[in-house]
Amino acid sequence: MAGKDDYLVDKLIELGYVTAEQVEPLQAEAEAAGRGVLELMLERHVVDPATVTLAKASHFGVEIINLAGMKLEDEVISSVPRHIAKRYRVVPVFRHGNSLVLAMSDPSDLSTIDSLHHLLKADLEIRVTSEEEIEAALNQYYGAAEDGVGKMIQDITEGEVEIGAPAAGMETDDGATVDADAPIIKLVNSVIVDAFKMRASDIHLEPLSKTFRVRYRIDGVLHEMKAPPKRLQLSIISRLKIQSNMSIAEKRIPQDGRIQTSVGGKMIDLRVSCLPTNHGESIVMRILDKEGLRLGLPELGFFTDDQQTFERLIGMPDGILLVTGPTGSGKSTTLYSVLNFINRPDRKIITVEDPVEYQMSGINQVQVNEKAGLTFAAALRSMLRQAPNVIMVGEIRDLETASIAINASLTGHLVFSTLHTNDAPSAVTRLIDIGVKPFLVASSSRALMAQRLVRKVCRKCAAPYQPTESELKMLNLDTARLEKATFRRGQGCANCNGTGYRGRMGIFEIFVIDDEARKLIYEKVSSSTLRQRAREMGMRTLREDGTRKAIAGLTTADEVIKATVGDVD
């Protein structure tokens, strides 16, 4: 009995993805079991779904489209109602007059295409993509579940519920208090819950001239979500300002606040920032997930050799260890994980931060308050009278803070802090530039570590690939290392929202300060000279560490090149 997918099996053989010899035994087995041979081939991983999509497109002469790399316009999405898109598993891509371009996974389903033609009253052009990409796009643009953000926005837009009501806790003109189940409140809560479920690190609500844009930052990359109507902008912003204890009457100056909420029985903190812009107030919410702090050193991205070096450094009784890198490079997460690692009942740990991002048990945390006169330097002085073993300073910004931190490290305290520099050796130059004496930098520093974040390849859809000649050249790989390399790249699936990446890891540059390095610091050599000598002494640069992680298939060559600068020999 011929199966409905036999034409695809023939096409796969014709295109050279499988051989007739591979298919014959499976064909006999499928017939005996009353199953489709293609279904069996997919189950046995003889072919993957992406290859089947290619075969379908080739057979029907239809163009393949990559939905994961596209931003679909609201007007296009609104041309196919949610219930139709979900039922027929299609995503609208472009619209030209009465012609609509639709992405679907099975161009052979003529009855579906015919039904859509009558339902949408438009001329249809079909494009082919994988089922995983269709699923990810439907979730992104139409909402993952019936009670998702997309559904709520649709309900409000269609006028099925009353809008424009003040947020919960606000009094109306007649003194009545608004019900906590008001649709705006549900919508705002759903935006936060959806972001958390999608592993977003922050939520951006940005008023533009004609739209109210919502974006989630996932694994360091911004993704645009279904936007609420512009007319809901004031209600949504007011609700968030009330939740985070900001003044809703003040719209001319920036404000900061905090929201603590529960998602699925788990408490999460949101740090909220409100900034007046031309078209209204822009709000950014940073999601602070305490689970991230429980990362062990391997989860941060350390390979065994670097981890052993780092564990030895953070186990020292005194000295200063600086973590450097730009904003958003994971410095705070690294330091919190270190404190978690060394937090024991026989050690007193005090931190001074601006702001305190995460509350940690067993650690004394001090919040900087500039208005009250509690600066980093003032807090540091008081902390030393509390007889701590370990001190963490959120950031070294000026000479006074740097001097106290370095003096503390010289009087028997282990000090951790961060600096904004591009690489590890530059931290020395930075400290000297702000006024610290070179001999103090030399005698107090135990190690300087620069770091960046790169996206990890999604484990569920990772497949071997070969980087381009240009990428290999930029990674400076020789033939011997290439032979042992196992480069991998995600194909895009529902697990990674079609991006090919899930999660992030650190790449590190650890400059251990030994006697020879101290001598160079004392002599005030230039940053480039110090970097060159550090490499001669065995320091692995950010790009070199990233390259070995790309070779191991943990990230891609492209990610490493984007996150690091080339090494000048």
Side-chain angles (χ1 to χ4, degrees), residues 18 20 57 70 117-119 131 144 154 172 186 224 237 246 262 270 283 285 289 293 329 420 425 428 457 484 490 521:
V18 289
M70 299 182 72
H117 176 71
H118 290 294
L119 284 167
E131 183 57 39
Q154 188 179 23
T172 55
K186 282 185 175 178
E224 196 153 337
I237 289 171
M246 295 181 196
S262 174
L270 293 110
I283 286 191
M285 293 180 276
D289 177 18
L293 302 181
S329 58
H420 286 100
V428 171
V457 172
K484 297 176 186 173
I521 294 168

Coordinates of all heavy atoms in Angstrom, one line a residue, residues 18 20 57 70 117-119 131 144 154 172 186 224 237 246 262 270 283 285 289 293 329 420 425 428 457 484 490 521:
V18 N 19.1 10.8 1.2 CA 19.1 9.4 1.6 C 19.3 8.5 0.4 O 19.2 9.0 -0.7 CB 17.8 8.9 2.3 CG1 17.6 9.5 3.7 CG2 16.6 9.2 1.5
A20 N 18.5 4.7 -1.7 CA 17.5 3.7 -1.9 C 17.8 2.5 -0.9 O 16.9 1.9 -0.4 CB 17.4 3.3 -3.3
A57 N 9.4 21.6 -0.3 CA 9.5 22.9 -1.0 C 10.0 22.6 -2.5 O 9.5 23.1 -3.4 CB 10.5 23.8 -0.3
M70 N 12.7 36.8 11.1 CA 11.9 37.8 10.5 C 11.1 38.6 11.6 O 10.8 38.0 12.7 CB 10.8 37.3 9.5 CG 11.5 36.6 8.3 SD 10.2 36.0 7.2 CE 9.6 37.6 6.5
H117 N -8.3 30.2 1.3 CA -8.7 31.1 0.2 C -10.1 31.7 0.4 O -10.3 32.9 0.2 CB -8.5 30.3 -1.1 CG -8.9 31.1 -2.3 ND1 -8.1 32.2 -2.8 CD2 -10.0 31.1 -3.1 CE1 -8.7 32.7 -3.8 NE2 -9.8 32.1 -4.1
H118 N -11.0 30.8 0.8 CA -12.4 31.2 0.9 C -12.6 32.0 2.2 O -13.3 33.0 2.3 CB -13.4 30.0 0.9 CG -13.5 29.4 -0.4 ND1 -14.0 30.0 -1.5 CD2 -13.1 28.2 -0.9 CE1 -14.0 29.3 -2.6 NE2 -13.4 28.1 -2.2
L119 N -11.9 31.6 3.3 CA -12.1 32.3 4.6 C -11.5 33.7 4.6 O -12.0 34.6 5.2 CB -11.4 31.4 5.7 CG -12.2 30.2 6.2 CD1 -11.3 29.3 7.1 CD2 -13.4 30.6 7.0
E131 N 7.6 22.8 11.0 CA 6.5 22.9 12.0 C 7.0 23.6 13.2 O 6.2 24.3 13.9 CB 6.1 21.4 12.3 CG 4.9 21.3 13.2 CD 3.7 22.1 12.8 OE1 3.3 22.0 11.6 OE2 3.0 22.7 13.7
A144 N 0.7 32.1 23.4 CA 1.0 30.6 23.6 C -0.2 29.8 24.0 O -0.4 28.7 23.7 CB 2.2 30.4 24.6
Q154 N -6.4 40.8 22.2 CA -7.4 40.7 21.3 C -8.8 41.0 21.9 O -9.6 41.7 21.4 CB -7.4 39.3 20.7 CG -8.4 39.1 19.5 CD -8.4 37.7 19.0 OE1 -7.9 36.8 19.6 NE2 -8.8 37.6 17.7
T172 N -11.5 56.0 41.8 CA -12.1 56.8 40.7 C -12.6 58.1 41.3 O -12.5 58.3 42.5 CB -13.3 55.9 40.1 OG1 -14.2 55.6 41.2 CG2 -12.8 54.7 39.5
K186 N -4.9 42.3 34.4 CA -4.7 40.9 33.9 C -3.6 41.0 32.8 O -2.7 40.1 32.7 CB -6.0 40.3 33.4 CG -6.9 39.8 34.5 CD -8.1 39.1 33.8 CE -9.0 38.4 34.9 NZ -10.1 37.8 34.2
E224 N 10.7 41.2 19.5 CA 9.4 42.0 19.6 C 8.2 41.1 19.8 O 8.1 40.1 19.1 CB 9.3 42.9 18.3 CG 8.3 44.0 18.5 CD 8.6 45.2 17.6 OE1 9.7 45.4 17.2 OE2 7.6 45.9 17.3
I237 N 1.0 51.9 31.7 CA 2.1 52.5 32.4 C 1.7 52.9 33.8 O 2.4 52.7 34.8 CB 2.6 53.8 31.6 CG1 3.3 53.3 30.4 CG2 3.5 54.7 32.5 CD1 3.7 54.4 29.4
M246 N 5.9 54.1 42.3 CA 6.3 55.4 41.8 C 5.1 56.3 41.8 O 3.9 55.9 41.9 CB 6.7 55.2 40.3 CG 7.9 54.3 40.1 SD 8.2 54.2 38.3 CE 9.3 52.8 38.2
S262 N 4.8 36.8 42.4 CA 4.9 35.4 42.4 C 4.5 34.8 41.0 O 3.4 35.2 40.5 CB 4.1 34.8 43.5 OG 4.1 33.4 43.4
L270 N 11.4 42.4 40.3 CA 11.5 43.2 39.0 C 12.0 44.6 39.4 O 11.4 45.2 40.3 CB 10.2 43.3 38.3 CG 9.7 42.0 37.7 CD1 8.4 41.6 38.4 CD2 9.3 42.2 36.2
I283 N 9.2 52.3 29.9 CA 9.4 51.5 31.1 C 10.2 50.3 30.8 O 10.0 49.6 29.8 CB 8.1 51.1 31.8 CG1 7.5 52.3 32.5 CG2 8.3 49.9 32.8 CD1 6.3 52.0 33.4
M285 N 11.7 46.8 32.7 CA 11.7 46.0 33.9 C 12.7 44.9 33.8 O 12.7 44.1 32.9 CB 10.3 45.3 34.1 CG 9.2 46.3 34.4 SD 7.6 45.5 34.6 CE 7.1 45.4 32.9
D289 N 16.0 36.9 38.8 CA 15.6 35.6 39.2 C 16.7 35.0 40.1 O 17.8 34.8 39.7 CB 15.5 34.7 37.9 CG 15.2 33.2 38.2 OD1 14.7 33.0 39.4 OD2 15.4 32.4 37.4
L293 N 21.5 32.8 40.8 CA 22.6 32.9 41.8 C 23.1 31.6 42.2 O 24.1 31.5 42.8 CB 22.1 33.7 43.0 CG 21.5 35.1 42.7 CD1 21.1 35.8 43.9 CD2 22.6 35.9 41.9
S329 N 27.5 42.1 30.9 CA 28.4 41.0 30.6 C 28.4 39.9 31.6 O 29.3 39.0 31.6 CB 29.8 41.5 30.3 OG 30.3 42.2 31.4
H420 N 34.6 48.7 34.8 CA 34.2 48.7 33.4 C 35.4 48.9 32.5 O 35.8 50.1 32.2 CB 33.2 49.9 33.1 CG 31.8 49.6 33.6 ND1 31.4 50.1 34.8 CD2 30.8 48.8 33.2 CE1 30.2 49.6 35.0 NE2 29.8 48.8 34.1
P425 N 44.0 43.1 31.6 CA 45.2 43.9 31.9 C 44.8 45.4 32.0 O 45.4 46.2 32.7 CB 46.1 43.7 30.8 CG 45.8 42.3 30.3 CD 44.3 42.2 30.4
V428 N 44.3 47.4 35.4 CA 45.5 48.0 36.1 C 45.6 49.4 35.7 O 45.7 50.3 36.5 CB 46.8 47.2 35.7 CG1 48.0 48.0 36.3 CG2 46.7 45.8 36.3
V457 N 24.4 27.0 22.2 CA 23.7 26.2 21.2 C 22.6 25.4 21.8 O 22.8 24.8 22.8 CB 24.7 25.3 20.4 CG1 23.9 24.4 19.4 CG2 25.7 26.1 19.6
K484 N 40.2 18.2 15.2 CA 39.5 17.7 16.4 C 38.3 18.5 16.7 O 37.6 18.2 17.6 CB 40.5 17.9 17.6 CG 41.8 17.1 17.5 CD 42.7 17.4 18.6 CE 44.0 16.6 18.4 NZ 45.0 17.0 19.4
G490 N 22.5 25.4 16.2 CA 21.1 25.0 16.4 C 20.3 25.3 15.1 O 20.6 26.3 14.4
I521 N 53.7 46.1 36.8 CA 52.7 47.1 37.2 C 53.4 48.2 38.0 O 53.1 49.4 37.7 CB 51.6 46.4 38.2 CG1 50.8 45.4 37.4 CG2 50.7 47.5 38.8 CD1 49.9 44.5 38.2

